[in-house]
Amino acid sequence: MSSSITFQENTPYGPITLSVWDDKYAVQAPIVLEDATILKGLEEGSNGKFIYEAKMKFVNDAAGEAAKTTIVKFSSDCDGMRVMEREAKFYVDHLKATYGNGVPEFYGLYKGECIETDDDDTPTTVNCACLVLQRCGEPLGITNFRELENDRPFRQKLVKLFERLHIQLDIWHRDLYPVDVLNMDGEPFIIDFSDAETHTCELSVALEEGEVEPLSSLIPCPELSAFLRALETWWLPIATMWHGGLFVENDKVTSAAYIFKRISRKGVLKEEGLSDEDIWNEAVVAWKTIRSHWAKYHPGKKIRTLGITNYEEYLAQKDDRKNAPAKAG
């Protein structure tokens, strides 16, 4: 069975006839890919690979189903074709259960011949191949995962998707960056499994947003823990760092006074020229930040009152307690 792909005039290829690479990698052949428009050209380390968007129809589709919008990875480079075969194998062997649900649907791997020209405009017939996948959304347009802080619903879905790939499907992506995540109407999709492997991912803690960051031993998977750290705002940090490396443990904080009493005893702060009131003001800022975090990520949970934030009021209360008569008995 053969399939075909046509390119628009501004792309480097004309019509090409393709065959199924291997029956294992044919979802439903033959297909026709029309008006392939280049999205991404040759780059360093791309293994001669182009990325296109194209309309796809099954030749034997008697129902007249509308054309699907696909992404076509195309290469005439030997290394590039090997990489695509590896990715196709991974889709077929490990991702079938989640096609169209967090990862693209796989439409097949095909091979053929195309005409290329060298620097002297001499035409040469070379082998080529293409990997056809569902087009599943738009790029996030961010440079790091922390930028998802203001889109909590999407971020939560992305964490659950990544957790499902790791825990339920034992999949290790091995190359996850923001460019490997797409947004399709608010649903995250992870792409590019050319470097993926399987592994046993162990997890000893629920990945609940807003909880205090667990010990690394509870999330031993390096990719999963690195991804959550990259989000930065998923966990409440174990500690807030202070001058000279001093810190307070956030899950134990109950008031600004708690922080103040803990850090004001440290002589290092006095050596930096900070007064007790300076330290108090920093403690108030830290306590407000911790409360705000819990209010944001634990809606419905009872949060301790802000309490005293004025330094003079704190000192007065402290004196009142000191001068209070001892209880009888």
Side-chain angles (χ1 to χ4, degrees):
M1 292 183 292
S2 63
S3 301
S4 63
I5 179 171
T6 60
F7 298 86
Q8 293 182 344
E9 292 181 0
N10 64 341
T11 57
Y13 301 102
I16 296 173
T17 300
L18 299 160
S19 301
V20 175
W21 186 305
D22 185 299
D23 286 342
K24 177 178 181 179
Y25 306 132
V27 176
Q28 181 181 342
I31 65 172
V32 174
L33 298 169
E34 298 178 327
D35 295 332
T37 305
I38 194 165
L39 299 178
K40 190 174 181 181
L42 292 175
E43 296 179 350
E44 184 178 352
S46 67
N47 294 320
K49 183 171 60 181
F50 291 86
I51 307 293
Y52 295 91
E53 179 179 300
K55 297 294 185 181
M56 183 195 78
K57 292 200 73 172
F58 295 115
V59 173
N60 299 328
D61 179 19
E65 185 178 345
K68 299 177 185 291
T69 303
T70 62
I71 294 297
V72 180
K73 296 185 177 183
F74 183 93
S75 182
S76 58
D77 176 87
C78 291
D79 288 339
M81 288 189 282
R82 278 195 291 268
V83 170
M84 287 196 296
E85 183 180 18
R86 187 180 187 282
E87 185 171 13
K89 185 177 187 303
F90 198 86
Y91 268 100
V92 172
D93 290 346
H94 304 292
L95 292 171
K96 275 186 177 180
T98 193
Y99 282 175
N101 182 22
V103 304
E105 185 140 1
F106 172 77
Y107 294 129
L109 177 66
Y110 305 90
K111 63 181 178 180
E113 292 183 342
C114 60
I115 304 297
E116 291 187 345
T117 56
D118 57 23
D119 294 338
D120 298 325
D121 292 329
T122 303
T124 304
T125 301
V126 298
N127 293 325
C128 62
C130 71
L131 177 70
V132 186
L133 299 164
Q134 172 192 11
R135 187 188 187 283
C136 46
E138 302 296 332
L140 299 182
I142 61 176
T143 56
N144 58 72
F145 284 118
R146 185 200 169 102
E147 295 176 60
L148 293 175
E149 178 181 7
N150 296 323
D151 190 350
R152 287 187 62 203
F154 184 84
R155 180 177 61 173
Q156 289 169 335
K157 291 177 182 178
L158 178 57
V159 171
K160 293 303 180 185
L161 169 59
F162 204 53
E163 182 182 7
R164 174 159 55 90
L165 291 178
H166 270 265
I167 305 302
Q168 296 180 15
L169 301 177
D170 296 327
I171 290 171
W172 183 16
H173 188 278
R174 297 188 67 239
D175 194 35
L176 188 73
Y177 293 95
V179 294
D180 301 308
V181 179
L182 301 178
N183 185 339
M184 186 163 74
D185 300 324
E187 298 297 325
F189 276 72
I190 294 177
I191 61 173
D192 193 358
F193 290 87
S194 56
D195 292 317
E197 295 180 358
T198 58
H199 79 141
T200 300
C201 188
E202 298 177 352
L203 188 65
S204 302
V205 63
L207 303 184
E208 294 296 333
E209 184 181 28
E211 295 295 343
V212 175
E213 183 178 358
L215 298 174
S216 57
S217 60
L218 299 178
I219 308 180
C221 173
E223 181 171 75
L224 194 56
S225 60
F227 170 64
L228 293 169
R229 286 198 303 272
L231 289 175
E232 291 192 27
T233 53
W234 181 263
W235 302 118
L236 177 64
I238 294 175
T240 298
M241 301 305 295
W242 295 79
H243 302 273
L246 305 176
F247 66 92
V248 292
E249 297 174 353
N250 289 330
D251 60 339
K252 295 181 180 178
V253 176
T254 56
S255 65
Y258 174 92
I259 299 175
F260 177 74
K261 285 186 285 187
R262 180 175 177 82
I263 65 175
S264 64
R265 295 193 296 266
K266 306 293 185 179
V268 176
L269 300 180
K270 296 294 181 63
E271 292 173 7
E272 293 184 5
L274 294 174
S275 67
D276 283 347
E277 187 169 3
D278 292 329
I279 299 170
W280 170 263
N281 290 334
E282 290 203 24
V284 170
V285 171
W287 173 228
K288 287 181 177 180
T289 300
I290 293 169
R291 285 189 77 256
S292 174
H293 187 103
W294 279 84
K296 181 177 181 180
Y297 294 118
H298 296 269
K301 284 192 176 182
K302 186 175 180 179
I303 302 172
R304 287 181 179 270
T305 59
L306 186 60
I308 295 174
T309 58
N310 180 274
Y311 184 58
E312 297 299 328
E313 185 179 351
Y314 166 73
L315 292 179
Q317 183 191 66
K318 186 178 177 182
D319 288 341
D320 287 343
R321 289 178 178 174
K322 182 178 180 182
N323 298 326
K327 292 183 180 181

